[in-house]
């Protein structure tokens, strides 16, 4: 397919600056996921790649062609919408044929493509029904089919699974991944659900407030978040954050002095201020009913047994709260005492001003770490 | 309070379930329906019956309102060819039909274009939409005045069009009067006739059509816009991605989805066009006169029976017209699909053949290349079996690719010429300029005439000698025309503040009555189930298409009858007498004709309130009436406000009833007064330019409405579109 590049792309709607000088490269046959909270600009970014919106400044390249001002027709992209956008007055077959007919393709060719796409997606029996007569999952497949028959340069997805129930969502996720491998198509997928992002992507691009916070494969984004936002966004339940001060060999938070390794101390001492934010994921905290080495006492406020693990919410010092995800069943109840400790290699430290990760900077130098 | 009594109070309608209505609810619903039913009975049903009866008598000035015998002589005189009245009748019938059809076509085309323009988001869309409401806010007779006295009048009177023609060096045209050219002649069959009725269609008819188009296009635009806004935006995005042009998006996406709504709007508009009166009454030309006009003339001449017959025939025409259109559109839809498919198939196959030829050539070329590659490898690798292995693999890949993506054999990329890229960049700007131009044209179309006469009304009525040439802005601004309007009662019969006040009183009272009856009946329809509910709904809905003509004459007679039983109250003051005994009688028919629209809008707003809200109120112990007062009304204030504005404007602009009922200049409303200024030749007794004073009157009468519309444009539009969407 094609290699897509966004170079210094800026987008304004009136006086609102939605995208702030972003740079992104999507490799051939890559499954790239754009993820971020509502209003971060990910749909706008997708629209700009599609050609539904034009850049305010900057360029969009498909291979080496500057397509910044070309309409979607010339970019030959295909898009699957959150609402599926199936034409309600046409049956499934006509919906899938629409773009091919506009392109004035041969009738037999059209029929061949539509039927093979329908077979691939298992919707051959639905071809003569109208969108209103089929279920949500089936509509989603028709939307996919409509995109496949066009043989596009790139597949674009705008939160396509948001309207499906949880079970169907998981099933469709798998099908989309399988489809991409089979058809070997470059895919750009927008979602606000970080679980979807983690499970489907070759690389994830996290957006916040119109700029990319980090771009990298799921493992990197999880293990080496570039800043506090990424750390808090990826992973469910989200990472715990504690404001702390740097001591000599330890960090101080909530009247607690927690000794840390030399490695960590040297790295965080490089920061401009002596205030940091300690970050640790709930699944990495260890908790025991009895005191151990390097642990401190907390009071449990909520204990939720979920089956595979137990969510324990704790509190210490001046109402500082945190959460631990304990595998299996943890026998405790409200107001019990517990002792938690943080494994050194799982601790993240963020500068309290820039919120950059002081310890686990990612391997690649990624642009645009500004807010 | 025990739970049982609490549950007993819970008697409201649960959607989907039929419940046994307790006595309390039944009585309540009846109370709700009474005001509206009373209005309908006395202002609509009884007059219609009376009107039909009178048409079958020889009712005349000489024989009294109910005539002496029952006879069909009226119909005979009108329909059967030979009599003078029938000659005119058929002529006016064809003129009315021509007027309706041509108006409708232009209104539809313009309305569609305007709606498509306003459907796009652009800076200043709010202002554009506001200017759209101006033509609709004016009384039609005022618009007619504008077009007759300022736009299409002769060049020596500085008519706009003729002056422009003159400036361009072209021949000036007589748009009305005896010299107006005949464009063509319609030949219409007449039953029992020996030859066809020749109906000349003059340029004046086109002027009348222009007036109607100017007045009605905004309304049609809003209806089409409402239908367009239901279409989800994602469908257009999908169309963009599929590569559809603007026209293709309209044809394949917008049009199929808005067709039903537009169709219904057009049917109603057609039925409205058949009863044209206001637009043509300012012309003395016989070539524009309509059936309603003929009826009014006959009435004024004392031929009550004939007038009633015309109104009954008009009613029949309206019903037949609607029926015909309904039938026509249904059949047409089926037919079109079938023929359309065949045509498309033929077209695709023709183009397809050509493409497939090129494609097969391409595929065979690629296959040749692949074979050449395989031959190359054959040279480097000696082993035959390995070759076979390679061949089989490549063939396999071919096959699997062919099932899914037949042409996907190479790295797909975009190939586009630099020229095309340039073209796209430039065309964006061109499109924007063209669009801005269209928006400007639309705003000029809507607001232009009004602004024009407003400017023209500031000329000095005493001294028109100064104006020797056509000028866009008056050189000397003078408010004298306005002064004359408000001070001179000798020439005009009354100072202009009187009609203004009359209008406010009449329209205001109408609004109150309509809101009172309308809210009650809307509450009943929206939240309760009762027998004949569907019938009532259709009845109210269909009243929209009732020609007021059928009511005017019998209602007048009915009022006289009733007032002969009740002695009219004498306040000692003739003005107050007039208001109380004549002006107020109009409230009933005005309310009756505005109720359908009001109920339409109110029901739409009422239905939007989530049932959970008023269920909660009921559980809290509220009675049916309290639910209305404390929950529903506060939440639907926008809808009520919109209804009030629409009813006020409609009452303010009404002419037909006002002309028949209000004779004394002191108790006339604004449109009636303007008509008087047009029709009576007041210039004979005045030593100033009465045309300019007429313009001043027109401007004054429309400024309050324009202001209301400008200030409340958002509410008006949302109210109308809400009603249209739900309806």
């Amino acid at each position: 397919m094609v290699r897509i590049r966004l170079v210094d792309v800026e987008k304004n709607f009136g006086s609102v600056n939605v995208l702030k000088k972003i740079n992104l490269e999507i490799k051939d046959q890559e499954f790239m996921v754009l993820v971020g909270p509502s209003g971060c600009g990910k749909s706008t970014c997708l629209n700009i790649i599609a050609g539904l919106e034009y850049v305010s400044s900057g360029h969009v390249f498909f291979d080496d062609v500057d397509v910044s001002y070309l309409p979607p027709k010339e970019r030959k992209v295909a898009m699957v919408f959150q609402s599926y956008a199936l034409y309600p007055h046409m049956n499934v077959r006509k919906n899938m044929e629409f773009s091919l007919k506009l392109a004035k393709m041969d009738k037999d060719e059209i029929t061949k493509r539509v039927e093979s796409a329908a077979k691939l997606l298992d919707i051959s029996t639905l071809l003569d029904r109208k969108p209103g007569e089929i279920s949500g999952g089936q509509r989603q497949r028709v939307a996919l089919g409509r995109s496949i028959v066009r043989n596009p340069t790139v597949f674009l997805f705008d939160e396509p699974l948001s309207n499906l129930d949880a079970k169907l969502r998981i099933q469709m996720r798998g099908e989309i991944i399988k489809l991409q491998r089979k058809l070997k198509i470059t895919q750009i997928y927008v979602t606000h659900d970080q679980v979807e992002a983690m499970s489907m992507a070759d690389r994830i691009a996290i957006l916040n407030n119109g700029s990319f916070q980090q771009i990298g494969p799921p493992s990197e984004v999880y293990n080496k978040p570039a800043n506090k936002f990424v750390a808090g966004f990826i992973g469910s339940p989200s990472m715990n954050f504690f404001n702390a001060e740097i001591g000599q060999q330890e960090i101080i938070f909530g009247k607690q002095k927690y000794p840390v390794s030399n490695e960590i101390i040297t790295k965080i001492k490089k920061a401009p201020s002596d205030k940091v934010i300690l970050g640790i994921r709930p699944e990495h905290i260890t908790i025991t009913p009895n005191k151990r080495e390097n642990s401190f006492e907390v009071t449990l406020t909520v204990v939720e047994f979920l089956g595979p693990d137990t969510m324990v919410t704790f509190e210490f010092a001046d109402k500082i709260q945190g959460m631990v995800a304990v595998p299996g069943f943890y026998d405790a109840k409200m107001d019990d005492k517990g002792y938690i400790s943080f494994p050194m290699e799982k601790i993240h430290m963020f500068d309290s001003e820039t919120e950059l990760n002081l310890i686990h900077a990612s391997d690649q130098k990624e642009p645009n770490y500004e807010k | 309070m025990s739970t049982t009594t609490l549950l007993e109070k819970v008697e409201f309608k649960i959607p989907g379930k039929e419940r046994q209505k307790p006595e309390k609810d039944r009585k309540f619903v009846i109370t709700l329906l009474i005001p509206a039913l009373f209005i309908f009975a006395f202002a609509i049903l009884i007059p219609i019956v009376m009107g039909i009866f009178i048409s079958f008598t020889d009712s005349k000035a000489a024989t009294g309102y109910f005539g002496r015998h029952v006879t069909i002589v009226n119909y005979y005189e009108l329909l059967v060819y030979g009599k003078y009245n029938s000659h005119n009748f058929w002529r006016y019938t064809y003129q009315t039909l021509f007027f309706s059809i041509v108006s409708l076509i232009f209104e539809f085309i313009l309305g569609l274009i305007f709606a498509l323009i306003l459907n796009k988001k652009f800076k200043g869309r709010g202002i554009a939409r506001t200017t759209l409401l101006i033509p609709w806010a004016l009384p039609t007779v005022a618009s007619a005045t504008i077009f007759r006295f300022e736009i299409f009048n002769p060049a020596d009177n500085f008519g706009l069009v003729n002056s422009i023609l003159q400036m361009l060096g072209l021949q000036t045209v007589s748009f009305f009067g005896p010299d107006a050219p005949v464009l063509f002649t319609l030949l219409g069959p007449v039953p029992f006739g020996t030859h066809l009725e020749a109906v000349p269609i003059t340029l004046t008819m086109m002027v009348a059509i222009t007036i109607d188009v100017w007045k009605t296009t905004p309304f049609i635009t809003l209806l089409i816009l409402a239908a367009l806004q239901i279409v989800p935006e994602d469908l257009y995005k999908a169309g963009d991605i599929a590569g559809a042009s603007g026209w293709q998006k309209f044809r394949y996406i917008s049009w199929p989805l808005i067709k039903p709504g537009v169709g219904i709007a057009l049917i109603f508009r057609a039925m409205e066009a058949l009863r044209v009166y206001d637009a043509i009454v300012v012309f003395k030309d016989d070539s524009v006169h309509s059936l309603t006009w003929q009826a009014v003339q006959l009435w004024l001449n004392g031929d009550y029976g004939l007038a009633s017959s015309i109104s009954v025939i008009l009613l029949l025409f309206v019903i037949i017209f609607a029926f015909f259109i309904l039938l026509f559109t249904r059949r047409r839809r089926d037919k079109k699909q079938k023929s359309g498919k065949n045509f498309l198939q033929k077209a695709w196959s023709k183009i397809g053949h050509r493409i497939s030829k090129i494609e097969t050539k391409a595929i065979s070329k690629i296959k040749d290349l692949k074979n050449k590659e395989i031959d190359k490898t054959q040279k480097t690798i000696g082993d035959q079996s390995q070759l076979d292995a390679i061949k089989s693999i490549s063939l396999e890949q071919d096959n699997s690719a062919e099932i899914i993506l037949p042409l996907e054999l190479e790295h797909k990329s975009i190939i586009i010429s630099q020229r095309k890229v340039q073209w796209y960049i430039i065309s964006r700007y061109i499109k924007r300029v063209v669009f801005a131009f269209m928006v400007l044209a639309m705003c000029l179309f809507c607001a232009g005439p009004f602004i024009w006469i407003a400017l023209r009304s500031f000329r000095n009525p005493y001294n028109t000698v100064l104006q020797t040439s056509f000028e866009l802005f008056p050189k000397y601004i003078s408010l004298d025309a306005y002064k004359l309007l408000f001070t001179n009662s000798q020439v005009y019969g009354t100072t202009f503040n009187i009609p203004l006040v009359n209008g406010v009183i009449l329209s205001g009272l109408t609004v109150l009555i309509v809101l009172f009856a309308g809210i009650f009946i809307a509450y009943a329809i929206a939240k309760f189930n009762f027998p004949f509910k569907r019938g009532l709904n259709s009845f109210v809905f269909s009243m929209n298409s009732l020609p007021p003509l059928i009511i005017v004459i019998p209602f007048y007679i009915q009022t006289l009858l009733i007032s002969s039983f009740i002695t009219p109250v004498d306040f000692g003051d003739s003005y107050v007498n007039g208001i109380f005994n004549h002006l107020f009688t109009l409230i009933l028919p005005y309310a009756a004709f505005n109720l359908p629209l009001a109920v339409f809008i109110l029901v739409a707003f009422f239905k939007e309130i989530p049932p959970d809200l008023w269920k909660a109120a009921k559980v809290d112990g509220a009675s049916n009436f309290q639910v209305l007062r404390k929950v529903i009304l506060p939440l639907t204030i926008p809808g009520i406000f919109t209804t009030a504005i629409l009813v006020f404007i409609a009452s303010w602009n009404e002419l037909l009833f006002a002309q028949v009922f209000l004779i004394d200049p002191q108790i006339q409303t604004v449109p009636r007064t303007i008509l008087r200024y047009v029709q009576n030749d007041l210039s004979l007794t005045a030593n100033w330019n009465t045309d300019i004073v007429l313009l001043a009157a027109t401007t004054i009468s429309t400024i309050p409405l324009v202001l209301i519309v400008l200030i409340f444009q958002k509410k008006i539009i949302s109210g109308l579109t809400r009603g249209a969407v739900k309806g």
Side-chain angles (χ1 to χ4, degrees):
Chain A
M1 297 264 129
V2 281
R3 185 173 129 250
I4 298 176
R5 277 182 300 139
L6 294 168
V7 177
D8 284 343
V9 165
E10 242 185 73
K11 179 67 185 169
N12 304 314
F13 286 111
S15 54
V16 181
N17 185 213
V18 177
L19 290 177
K20 301 168 184 160
K21 268 229 165 78
I22 55 168
N23 286 279
L24 181 66
E25 183 181 317
I26 299 150
K27 306 185 185 113
D28 193 6
Q29 293 183 29
E30 184 175 31
F31 196 141
M32 164 71 76
V33 176
L34 300 178
V35 70
S38 301
C40 66
K42 51 192 193 294
S43 288
T44 311
C45 193
L46 198 72
N47 285 342
I48 285 184
I49 297 175
L52 293 169
E53 300 272 0
Y54 293 128
V55 296
S56 300
S57 72
H59 298 271
V60 182
F61 291 98
F62 277 32
D63 283 336
D64 291 311
V65 182
D66 186 346
V67 301
S68 318
Y69 294 103
L70 294 183
K73 183 175 167 183
E74 298 293 340
R75 304 193 199 191
K76 298 192 178 60
V77 300
M79 193 152 164
V80 178
F81 296 88
Q82 183 177 355
S83 64
Y84 322 130
L86 298 179
Y87 309 113
H89 53 288
M90 304 184 196
N91 63 17
V92 166
R93 185 190 296 272
K94 288 215 179 90
N95 261 284
M96 291 172 73
E97 289 177 341
F98 187 59
S99 60
L100 303 179
K101 281 210 167 140
L102 286 176
K104 301 193 179 130
M105 211 175 265
D106 171 43
K107 204 183 72 172
D108 296 319
E109 176 68 31
I110 295 179
T111 319
K112 201 159 50 155
R113 286 199 188 193
V114 169
E115 272 169 19
S116 55
K119 203 161 89 175
L120 185 65
L121 292 166
D122 202 19
I123 49 174
S124 307
T125 51
L126 305 175
L127 284 173
D128 290 311
R129 297 216 207 145
K130 291 236 173 89
E133 298 162 5
I134 56 180
S135 75
Q138 289 168 329
R139 276 184 223 159
Q140 188 54 276
R141 297 218 203 112
V142 173
L144 276 172
R146 183 168 67 169
S147 306
I148 293 175
V149 297
R150 297 192 48 215
N151 193 12
T153 52
V154 59
F155 257 17
L156 304 172
F157 293 87
D158 193 352
E159 306 206 40
L161 305 181
S162 307
N163 286 356
L164 301 175
D165 62 77
K167 212 173 174 191
L168 203 52
R169 214 181 292 171
I170 298 175
Q171 186 191 338
M172 288 303 296
R173 243 195 273 155
E175 288 196 27
I176 291 180
I177 299 175
K178 261 195 287 178
L179 205 67
Q180 196 252 347
R181 301 272 180 266
K182 205 168 193 178
L183 298 177
K184 300 207 182 89
I185 298 177
T186 312
Q187 280 186 184
I188 307 177
Y189 191 103
V190 161
T191 178
H192 62 273
D193 183 352
Q194 51 99 20
V195 175
E196 255 176 38
M198 291 289 282
S199 63
M200 298 169 90
D202 288 336
R203 277 198 302 158
I204 302 180
I206 301 161
L207 267 164
N208 190 30
N209 276 339
S211 47
F212 284 117
Q213 304 299 304
Q214 187 170 2
I215 304 172
S219 56
E220 188 179 299
V221 160
Y222 178 82
N223 289 316
K224 300 178 185 173
N227 58 27
K228 181 170 172 239
F229 176 79
V230 174
F233 189 80
I234 299 287
S236 173
S238 47
M239 192 187 274
N240 294 297
F241 294 112
F242 305 114
N243 290 320
E245 283 171 17
I246 312 174
Q248 287 289 38
Q249 276 292 113
E250 69 279 325
I251 46 173
I252 310 159
F253 58 94
K255 297 175 194 155
Q256 211 63 249
K257 282 190 183 172
Y258 197 82
V260 292
S261 65
N262 272 334
E263 204 189 325
I264 294 179
I265 287 287
T266 33
K267 280 193 181 163
I268 62 178
K269 280 221 166 120
K270 286 188 189 156
S273 68
D274 55 328
K275 286 207 167 62
V276 284
I277 303 171
L278 173 84
I280 182 110
R281 295 197 184 274
E283 54 268 29
H284 295 153
I285 301 179
T286 53
I287 182 169
T288 49
N290 309 307
K291 193 165 167 61
R292 305 163 273 144
E293 197 191 316
N294 253 358
S295 66
F296 61 94
E297 185 184 293
V298 296
T299 317
L300 309 184
T301 53
V302 184
V303 180
E304 301 166 304
F305 174 56
L306 298 180
D309 33 40
T310 310
M311 294 296 176
V312 178
T313 314
F314 59 83
E315 209 179 79
F316 64 96
D318 293 311
K319 301 277 180 188
I320 302 177
Q321 289 200 334
M323 205 188 262
V324 190
V326 189
F329 178 68
Y330 185 76
D331 191 6
K333 52 189 192 308
M334 203 170 89
D335 293 332
D336 277 356
K337 299 278 178 218
Y339 291 86
I340 60 173
S341 68
F342 312 142
M344 286 300 134
E345 66 277 10
K346 302 287 188 189
I347 291 181
H348 296 271
M349 293 286 196
F350 302 97
D351 181 70
S352 55
E353 278 179 36
T354 62
E355 296 192 0
L356 290 178
N357 194 335
L358 299 164
I359 305 201
H360 296 296
S362 65
D363 301 328
Q364 299 163 291
K365 185 80 174 103
E366 293 290 350
N368 267 354
Y369 285 159
E370 301 124 31
K371 281 281 153 66
Chain B
M1 216 190 290
S2 69
T3 29
T4 33
T5 29
L6 200 66
L7 284 173
E8 267 167 25
K9 280 199 170 191
V10 174
E11 330 132 337
F12 46 83
K13 172 182 83 158
I14 294 180
K17 276 193 178 174
E18 287 299 310
R19 289 184 147 238
Q20 223 5 308
K21 297 245 119 266
E23 254 326 293
K24 224 195 279 178
D25 256 14
R26 213 171 291 147
K27 281 191 189 157
F28 185 70
V29 171
I30 293 179
T31 328
L32 285 180
L33 295 178
I34 283 182
L37 289 179
F38 175 82
I39 293 177
F40 287 143
F42 277 92
I44 309 272
L45 288 174
I46 298 179
I48 287 187
V49 169
M50 204 189 299
I52 297 178
F53 175 71
I54 291 178
S55 71
F56 285 103
T57 67
D58 61 336
S59 159
K60 279 203 273 281
T63 62
Y65 288 119
F66 290 102
R68 292 207 200 105
H69 341 278
V70 171
T71 162
I72 56 163
V73 69
N74 296 322
Y75 291 100
Y76 183 77
E77 258 200 57
L78 288 174
L79 300 171
V80 175
Y81 187 75
K83 306 282 182 168
Y84 173 70
N85 274 322
S86 81
H87 160 72
N88 276 346
F89 173 79
W90 286 109
R91 184 178 171 190
Y92 296 143
T93 303
Y94 283 112
Q95 279 170 199
T96 310
L97 274 174
F98 180 82
F99 177 89
S100 307
I101 295 175
V102 177
S103 291
L104 201 65
I105 293 175
F106 279 111
E107 282 155 14
F108 170 64
I109 296 176
L110 266 183
L112 191 62
I113 296 175
F114 287 1
L116 288 172
I117 293 177
L118 288 174
N119 200 28
K120 294 208 202 287
K121 294 194 183 108
F122 58 91
K123 242 189 222 166
R125 177 159 89 150
I127 301 176
R129 259 202 320 216
T130 312
T131 55
L132 198 71
L133 293 176
I134 290 180
W136 167 77
L138 274 64
T140 316
V141 73
S143 325
T145 311
I146 298 175
F147 280 87
R148 183 184 176 305
F149 283 91
E150 278 301 315
I151 299 189
F152 289 112
N153 49 328
D156 24 326
N157 282 358
F158 307 111
L160 183 64
V161 174
N162 274 322
S163 301
I164 293 178
L165 287 175
Q166 207 172 46
M167 276 198 288
L168 292 174
L170 299 168
Q171 181 112 37
T172 60
V173 183
S174 261
F175 284 99
F176 49 86
D179 299 324
V182 175
L183 298 175
F184 54 90
T185 312
L186 274 182
L187 292 171
V190 173
F192 311 112
T194 45
H195 60 268
L196 299 170
E197 175 80 29
V199 181
I201 303 291
T202 60
L203 200 54
T204 322
M205 170 65 88
M206 290 317 189
V207 173
I209 290 178
T210 310
I211 295 172
D212 197 62
V213 168
W214 189 73
K215 164 119 189 135
T216 319
T217 299
F219 190 63
I220 305 267
T221 307
L222 284 179
L223 286 178
I224 299 182
L225 192 61
L228 273 175
Q229 290 186 330
I230 299 179
V231 179
E233 213 189 308
D234 277 355
L235 288 184
Y236 295 122
K237 280 195 197 165
D240 274 330
I241 301 255
S245 68
W247 163 249
Q248 283 166 329
K249 276 190 280 185
F250 173 73
R251 178 155 171 235
Y252 294 112
I253 305 177
S254 314
W255 177 242
L257 293 174
I258 63 172
K259 239 194 322 203
V262 170
I264 293 181
L266 287 183
I267 290 177
F268 278 104
R269 179 51 212 142
M271 296 196 287
E272 233 180 47
L274 285 175
R275 38 182 155 113
V276 58
Y277 180 68
D278 302 25
I280 49 109
V281 72
V282 296
F283 294 99
K284 300 193 175 83
D285 304 59
D286 213 22
S287 61
V288 295
H289 288 150
S290 68
L291 281 179
T292 311
W293 182 88
Q294 186 184 23
V296 174
Q297 291 305 115
L298 288 168
W299 162 262
L300 293 172
N301 281 340
D303 283 309
Y304 312 134
L306 277 173
S308 292
S309 318
I310 292 190
S311 44
V312 171
I313 296 175
L314 185 61
L315 181 63
L316 282 173
F317 276 168
V318 166
I319 295 175
I320 294 173
F321 201 93
F323 197 68
F324 182 66
I325 289 187
L326 221 67
L327 220 66
F328 186 63
T329 44
R330 220 175 265 176
R331 213 185 286 161
R332 200 143 183 255
R333 219 182 287 162
D334 293 334
K335 262 193 190 164
K336 212 177 186 180
Q337 269 181 354
K338 281 185 194 161
S339 60
K341 233 190 198 174
N342 287 331
F343 171 80
L344 268 176
Q345 278 173 349
K346 282 185 197 159
W348 293 134
S349 62
K350 272 192 200 159
I351 303 170
H353 275 307
R354 273 189 220 154
I355 295 182
S356 63
K357 272 191 204 162
I358 303 174
E359 274 183 11
T360 38
K361 267 193 200 166
I363 292 179
S364 60
K365 264 198 181 160
I366 294 170
K367 279 208 173 134
D368 283 335
L369 279 170
K370 263 247 151 125
N371 286 333
K372 278 190 193 154
E373 267 194 66
I374 294 173
D375 289 335
K376 268 196 214 159
T377 49
Q378 192 173 16
K379 283 181 190 157
T380 51
I381 304 171
D383 196 4
Q384 186 65 25
S385 59
Q386 272 189 328
L387 260 173
D388 288 337
I390 296 173
K391 258 196 188 154
S392 63
I393 292 175
S394 55
L395 278 174
E396 223 185 359
Q397 278 178 337
D398 267 15
N399 281 337
S400 61
E402 214 154 35
I403 292 176
I404 300 165
L405 302 162
L407 294 181
E408 178 39 62
L409 296 169
E410 292 185 3
H411 175 81
K412 173 125 185 167
S413 191
I414 299 180
I415 304 162
I416 188 166
S417 67
Q418 199 46 29
R419 220 184 183 187
K420 224 178 181 183
V421 174
Q422 297 283 16
W423 160 245
Y424 274 118
I425 298 179
I426 297 175
S427 71
R428 270 182 77 208
Y429 290 108
I430 296 181
K431 275 187 192 163
R432 261 191 233 165
V433 167
V434 168
F435 187 75
F437 188 71
M438 286 172 75
V439 170
L440 208 66
M442 180 177 78
C443 292
L444 218 65
F445 174 80
C446 294
F450 173 69
I451 297 177
W452 177 246
I453 58 134
L455 285 175
R456 299 278 289 169
S457 68
F458 290 116
R459 284 142 58 209
N460 190 332
Y462 294 110
N463 202 352
T464 45
V465 176
L466 276 175
Q467 183 175 15
T468 48
S469 61
F470 176 77
E471 51 198 26
L472 212 54
F473 290 100
K475 282 210 192 92
Y476 308 95
I477 300 217
S478 142
L479 290 176
D480 283 335
Y482 291 90
K483 282 193 203 146
L484 275 171
L485 209 55
F486 283 99
T487 54
N488 189 293
S489 57
Q490 283 163 326
V491 174
Y492 297 107
T494 165
T495 53
F496 203 69
N497 51 317
I498 304 274
L500 284 175
V501 169
N502 290 343
V504 171
I505 297 176
L506 181 59
S507 302
L509 285 174
T510 308
V511 167
L512 289 174
I513 305 273
V514 167
L515 283 182
F516 174 66
I519 288 177
F520 276 14
I521 193 175
Y523 185 36
I525 293 179
K527 298 292 183 191
F528 291 90
N529 269 332
F530 48 90
F532 305 117
K533 178 164 125 160
R534 259 203 178 170
L536 183 66
N537 226 350
S538 335
F539 174 67
V540 172
F541 192 62
S542 62
M543 290 236 291
N544 252 325
S545 44
L546 210 64
L549 179 65
I550 188 97
I551 308 294
V552 167
I553 294 164
F555 189 77
Y556 186 88
I557 301 172
Q558 178 186 300
T559 314
L560 280 180
L561 280 178
I562 294 180
S563 63
S564 68
F565 286 114
I566 311 169
T567 39
V569 186
D570 189 357
F571 290 93
D573 180 88
S574 66
Y575 174 55
V576 179
N577 276 346
I579 295 240
F580 202 77
N581 297 321
H582 293 151
L583 198 63
F584 284 11
T585 51
L586 288 179
I587 294 180
L588 208 59
Y590 277 16
F593 278 98
N594 282 302
L595 259 180
L597 183 65
V599 170
F600 196 60
I601 296 178
L602 287 170
V603 167
F605 273 85
F606 283 9
K607 277 196 177 154
E608 268 187 12
I609 298 180
D612 286 346
L613 262 184
W614 55 280
K615 273 189 216 172
K618 279 284 189 112
V619 169
D620 280 342
S623 72
N624 281 322
F625 185 68
Q626 280 170 326
V627 170
L628 176 68
R629 203 160 58 96
K630 304 239 160 127
V631 176
I632 296 186
L633 286 186
L635 288 175
T636 51
I637 285 185
I640 295 173
F641 200 71
T642 310
T643 309
I645 295 176
L646 292 175
V647 172
F648 189 89
I649 293 181
S651 312
W652 182 274
N653 291 347
E654 204 282 334
L655 178 63
L656 185 63
F657 274 88
Q659 184 178 8
V660 170
F661 276 74
L662 307 172
I663 316 287
D664 185 352
Q666 282 268 313
I667 50 163
Q668 289 181 344
T669 56
V670 169
R672 179 72 185 92
T673 311
I674 291 182
L675 184 63
R676 243 189 76 245
Y677 290 4
V678 171
Q679 285 185 331
N680 307 352
D681 209 354
L682 302 166
S683 56
L684 295 173
T685 47
N687 50 2
W688 56 77
N689 189 335
T690 49
D691 277 357
I692 300 181
V693 182
L694 176 61
L695 291 185
T698 311
T699 312
I700 281 278
S701 65
T702 54
I703 282 201
L705 296 178
V706 173
L707 280 176
I708 291 179
V709 151
L710 287 179
I711 297 175
F712 299 111
Q713 57 105 351
K714 265 205 180 127
K715 292 213 165 90
I716 296 175
I717 291 178
S718 83
L720 279 175
T721 47
R722 218 85 151 250
V725 166
K726 294 293 170 173

